[in-house]
Amino acid sequence: MAKNITPRATNFPQWYQDVIAAGELADNSPVRGCMVIRPNGYGLWESMQEKLDRMFKETGHVNAYFPLLIPQSFITKEAEHVEGFAPELAVVTQAGGKELEEPLVIRPTSETIIGHMYAKWIQSYRDLPVLINQWCNVMRWEKRTRLFLRTSEFLWQEGHTAHETYEEAQEETLKMLGIYKEFLEDVCAIPVIPGAKPEHEKFPGAVTTYAIEAMMQDKKALQAATSHNLGQKFAKAFEIKYLGRDNQEELAWTTSWGCTTRMIGGLIMTHGDDDGIIVPPRLAPLQVVVIPIYKTEEEKLAVLDFADQVALRLRAKLSNLKVKVDYREDMRPADKFFTWIQRGIPLRVEIGPKDVQNKGGMLVRRDNRQKVFCALEGIEEKAAEILENIQADLFKKAGDFMRENIRPAETYQEFKDILAGPGGFILAHWDGTKQTAELIQSETKATIRVVPEDEKDKPGKCVRTGKPSSQRVLFAVAY
RNA sequence: CGGGGUGUGGCGCAGUCUGGCUAGCGCACCUGCUUUGGGAGCAGGGAGUCGGAGGUUCGAAUCCUCUCACCCCGACCA
C-alpha cells in the first residue's frame, strides 16, 4: 500500500490531494488559489489538448488567440454576463506606474472581446460561419479553490462560433457537446451524461447551456465540459451583424464551448485508486515503462541489453515517446515500481535475470495489478493489446459504477434517503422553477446537473412540490 | 464573506498550558558500506531562530497586542 496516500475510504478529499502530491501532478503556488502544474500533470493536459485539438480541427475549427486583458466596459455590455462574472473578476487598474483610464479585466472567458472582433470581421453571410477556438488561461477569483477542480487561474480552450441561423448555432452547440462526450469517454474513459442545464444554471448570457456530467468515486458530480447556444445575445451586445442572402441586415447567432484543466481532477477521481492516479492508455503521454532488475555487474549488462531490445519492439509499435526505460542506478526496483505506479503509467514491464533467461518480460497492469509473462517475440502486440484492455476496463468499471449509482426517486423521502444513504445521481421530476431547485439544494445540497435528452419529455409530479412536471432531471451533489 | 483550526529545517509533527541551559523527533536530503523481483539496513553528516511586527521580562517558540498566511466546513463557481 502507498505510504504517502490516505486511502479513499478514510478521507476522499485528502486522498485526492495526496494523489496529486505523490504523482507530482501539481503544487500550490505562492499566489492564492493559483496552481503550478508540474510536468506530470502538464503532460496530461498536453495530451488532452492534442486529442481535442485534432477533433476540433476535424470538424472545421481553427485556432486563434485573443488577449488576456479585456476593457471593463466590454464585460458590462451583456447584462446577464456582467451579473454572472462581476463577483469573480480580477481587474488591472494600474499599468506602467499610472492609473488606467479604463480598468482592464483579466479575462474570465472571452465572449466579449471575441464578440467585439467578430463584429469587425463579419459583414456578410459569406463570412459565416466563423469557427474559432483558442487555448488559453482565464481567471475567476474563486472563494475556495482546489487543485485542478477549481483554481483562480485555469487553462482551457474556448470555442466561439458565429452562424447565420439559430438552427446552425444549435447544431454546432450539440456537435461540440458530442465531441466532448466522445473525448471524455473514448480517450479519458470517463463516462458522462449529457444534457441541458436548467434556466437558473445557465452560463451568464446563454440561451441554452449544455453540459456533460461525470460521476466521481465519491459519487459526486463533476461538470466536465459545457457548450452554450448564445442565441443573439452577444451578437446584439457587440453588434455582430451581417447582410443576409435577402440583403437584410441581421444579427449573427453565436455559440461558445469549453473544457478545462478540471478534467485532470475528474480523471484522478474517476480512475484513481489508493496507490494514486491511473491514466487511461489512450491519454497517457507515457504508456509503458520498462524496469531493469539486476544485482551483479554481469546481470546488469545482460538485463540492460535485453531491456533495450524490449523497448525497441515496444517503440516500433507504440511510438518512441510512449515507452521509457528506467535506467536510474541510484534507485532500487521496488522504489521505481512505486514512483511509476503513482504517476499512473498504465503498463510496466519488468526485466530481470530470470526474464532474460526466459527471453521475455513480465507485463504488469497498473489498473488491476495483473502480471503476465510475455516472450520478446510479439511483446509489442501483447502490450498494445493489454493497453487497449486497460482502456476498455477502465471505461467499463467507471460506467458500471455510474450506472449502479443512478437511482430514480418518486417521493421526496426517497430522494433524501438516497442522498443520506448510498448517494449518487438521482433522476426525479422537477416543477421547473428556480425556487424549488433552490429549496431542494438548501435542504439536501443536491443540484440539478442536467436534463438528459431522453428524460426531457416525461410528464410527472415534482418530487418536492408535487406540482406538474414535464421532465425528469438529474440531481446530484456536485463539485 | 461567516464558523472552526493551524503556522517550529524540504514535508509531517512534539515542545507553548506551567517562560530558563546547545529547540527535539520521524520522513526526506548528502556521504560511505551492505542491499536490490513490491517503498531496505547500518554508520556518519548538512539543514530551522520557531509566520511577521511590536510589547512584557534578567531571559520568549512559550505570556500580551496587532498583523499576515494557509487549511477544513459553509455560501459562490468550470
Side-chain angles (χ1 to χ4, degrees):
Chain A
M1 278 296 108
K3 58 186 182 185
N4 53 350
I5 297 177
T6 306
R8 286 164 293 181
T10 306
N11 182 343
F12 193 80
Q14 188 59 49
W15 167 83
Y16 177 75
Q17 290 189 45
D18 291 348
V19 167
I20 291 172
E24 296 179 358
L25 302 172
D27 209 343
N28 285 301
S29 86
V31 180
R32 177 194 180 79
C34 295
M35 67 173 161
V36 175
I37 307 176
R38 306 182 68 177
N40 294 335
Y42 199 76
L44 295 174
W45 181 239
E46 284 180 308
S47 183
M48 288 176 172
Q49 281 185 295
E50 186 191 316
K51 313 277 188 219
L52 273 170
D53 200 61
R54 187 180 182 90
M55 294 170 91
F56 296 156
K57 285 173 179 159
E58 280 172 350
T59 47
H61 302 85
V62 290
N63 286 332
Y65 185 77
F66 297 84
L68 171 73
L69 298 174
I70 298 176
Q72 192 170 48
S73 59
F74 278 29
I75 305 286
T76 62
K77 282 190 185 177
E78 210 292 320
E80 292 172 9
H81 197 64
V82 62
E83 192 189 331
F85 281 108
E88 50 190 43
L89 294 178
V91 184
V92 179
T93 58
Q94 269 186 37
K98 278 193 197 162
E99 198 79 10
L100 292 169
E101 289 273 316
E102 179 184 353
L104 297 172
V105 169
I106 298 177
R107 63 181 163 217
T109 176
S110 305
E111 275 75 10
T112 59
I113 195 155
I114 291 178
H116 176 84
M117 298 312 295
Y118 281 10
K120 200 171 158 185
W121 296 339
I122 296 167
Q123 306 297 330
S124 149
Y125 73 90
R126 295 182 209 274
D127 297 326
L128 297 170
V130 175
L131 306 172
I132 292 179
N133 174 64
Q134 82 165 337
W135 291 95
C136 67
N137 57 342
V138 290
M139 179 158 270
R140 300 179 187 178
W141 212 256
E142 300 291 350
K143 303 271 188 277
R144 234 180 111 194
T145 58
R146 298 186 69 188
L147 291 176
F148 291 118
L149 296 176
R150 184 171 301 108
T151 46
S152 297
E153 181 192 14
F154 57 89
L155 305 184
W156 77 342
Q157 57 69 218
E158 47 180 327
H160 295 269
T161 67
H163 307 264
E164 225 181 312
T165 64
Y166 169 82
E167 288 71 25
E168 267 186 46
Q170 178 65 9
E171 188 190 332
E172 169 78 5
T173 306
L174 292 177
K175 181 198 283 177
M176 299 323 287
L177 187 74
I179 281 184
Y180 289 137
K181 179 170 161 39
E182 185 186 338
F183 170 71
L184 265 294
E185 296 194 333
D186 290 358
V187 178
C188 300
I190 299 175
V192 295
I193 298 176
K197 287 276 179 188
E199 276 298 303
H200 61 278
E201 298 266 4
K202 284 186 327 191
F203 173 79
V207 171
T208 317
T209 287
Y210 297 88
I212 49 176
E213 296 283 330
M215 183 185 287
M216 303 295 100
Q217 288 184 56
D218 61 355
K219 300 176 192 171
K220 285 168 77 172
L222 184 79
Q223 180 173 308
T226 52
S227 185
H228 318 288
N229 186 336
L230 304 174
Q232 293 179 307
K233 290 188 180 187
F234 283 89
K236 192 180 252 173
F238 288 90
E239 302 186 307
I240 310 174
K241 296 175 189 163
Y242 69 95
L243 205 54
R245 296 163 200 263
D246 54 0
N247 206 30
Q248 298 291 305
E249 186 172 70
E250 292 181 51
L251 289 172
W253 301 83
T254 66
T255 80
S256 70
W257 27 273
C259 66
T260 78
T261 34
R262 164 182 265 197
M263 290 189 298
I264 298 172
L267 192 76
I268 294 168
M269 289 194 289
T270 299
H271 302 306
D273 65 14
D274 286 347
D275 283 337
I277 186 175
I278 298 175
V279 184
R282 287 187 201 159
L283 185 71
L286 178 62
Q287 292 176 316
V288 187
V289 61
V290 179
I291 302 184
I293 301 162
Y294 49 81
K295 291 194 184 88
T296 66
E297 199 61 21
E298 190 185 357
E299 282 175 349
K300 178 179 165 184
L301 285 173
V303 163
L304 287 182
D305 178 67
F306 194 76
D308 284 336
Q309 289 181 51
V310 170
L312 198 66
R313 281 179 166 271
L314 292 172
R315 286 187 171 122
K317 173 78 185 175
L318 303 169
S319 101
N320 223 359
L321 296 176
K322 299 285 183 191
V323 182
K324 185 182 175 77
V325 182
D326 190 345
Y327 292 111
R328 288 176 295 180
E329 304 204 3
D330 50 1
M331 226 176 182
R332 297 185 341 283
D335 295 318
K336 291 183 181 178
F337 294 167
F338 272 88
T339 61
W340 293 115
I341 283 171
Q342 298 200 324
R343 282 162 178 67
I345 308 308
L347 188 61
R348 180 173 83 230
V349 181
E350 301 177 10
I351 305 288
K354 283 180 244 165
D355 304 299
V356 175
Q357 202 161 44
N358 299 327
K359 295 195 166 26
M362 196 63 85
L363 308 184
V364 190
R365 286 172 61 151
R366 168 64 184 88
D367 63 330
N368 62 12
R369 318 303 159 85
Q370 270 177 21
K371 274 186 171 192
V372 54
F373 178 82
C374 181
L376 176 66
E377 181 72 33
I379 196 167
E380 68 278 16
E381 299 298 336
K382 186 68 188 170
E385 181 192 322
I386 291 176
L387 288 170
E388 272 309 300
N389 289 341
I390 294 172
Q391 184 79 30
D393 289 353
L394 286 175
F395 184 59
K396 179 167 191 311
K397 191 177 172 191
D400 288 345
F401 181 78
M402 184 170 80
R403 283 184 290 274
E404 281 161 19
N405 286 291
I406 301 176
R407 299 176 175 82
E410 297 300 326
T411 68
Y412 200 46
Q413 191 55 50
E414 260 177 62
F415 190 98
K416 289 188 285 190
D417 287 347
I418 292 170
L419 288 172
F425 293 1
I426 300 176
L427 278 168
H429 279 283
W430 166 56
D431 63 19
T433 67
K434 185 180 177 183
Q435 290 71 19
T436 301
E438 283 174 349
L439 199 60
I440 292 173
Q441 178 173 8
S442 68
E443 288 167 350
T444 67
K445 291 185 183 173
T447 54
I448 299 167
R449 305 317 304 158
V450 288
V451 185
E453 187 62 22
D454 50 3
E455 300 285 344
K456 75 176 185 188
D457 294 317
K458 283 188 184 165
K461 281 199 299 188
C462 175
V463 73
R464 177 66 180 78
T465 63
K467 290 180 188 161
S469 149
S470 62
Q471 65 205 332
R472 277 210 307 181
V473 302
L474 191 70
F475 283 93
V477 178
Y479 273 95

